Amino acid sequence: MLSLSRRMTSIELEEKLLFCRNFELSDGTELTFAQSSLGDVGCVVWDAALVLCSYIDLKQQEMGWEGKYILELGSGTGAVGLTAACLGSKAVITDLVELLPLMSHNIALNNEKLKGSCEAAVVSWGDQQQMINVNEAHFPTGVDCILLADCVYYEESVESLVDTILHFAKAKTTVLCSYEERETKAELQCKFFKMLGE
């Protein structure tokens, strides 16, 4: 069996493994998010991501997305960051290197609908050099908003996720986190919010 990174390196060769999920904004714009039938949890659009997409759309007047610097962590398909970019933000969607082809594919699928911009980058949570590189390349004045959808999933990644949020967050940064409450993850979610609070 091929490894995940090997399987995800060529979207063109694997389009038969892709299936799409659409999301409609309040202005009628329809975004299309390709998902993969092969891979880990980052290969599909989870309900928590769609809830955050809806929230971003609903709050566009209040939050003023246009021109804002947006960072999505654990993007997977990039759905949330792409929604923000569609509303005028300068979004950077990030995940592990093996998800870069899927994120890039989704940017290309929706590029003509974006009022802002969207780029994909690799950020392994806790990797200082990758975080520094992304900051220098994309956030000259800092991050206005960090987006996370269903990222509190694996015990071993909670501390590095918190470290990554703290690396990018400044006094002016808003952090929006959407997650599905799961009985099996309740203790983990409590740990995440406790660490973030500290």
Side-chain angles (χ1 to χ4, degrees), residues 57-78:
D57 184 31
L58 180 69
K59 296 290 186 178
Q60 59 181 300
Q61 297 297 332
E62 184 181 324
M63 301 292 286
W65 298 113
E66 199 162 332
K68 292 278 179 79
Y69 287 97
I70 306 293
L71 170 68
E72 184 186 2
L73 296 174
S75 303
T77 62

Side-chain angles (χ1 to χ4, degrees), residues 67-71 89-91 138-145 172:
K68 292 278 179 79
Y69 287 97
I70 306 293
L71 170 68
S89 72
K90 299 172 184 176
H138 301 286
F139 301 112
T141 59
V143 178
D144 294 307
C145 185
K172 68 169 189 164

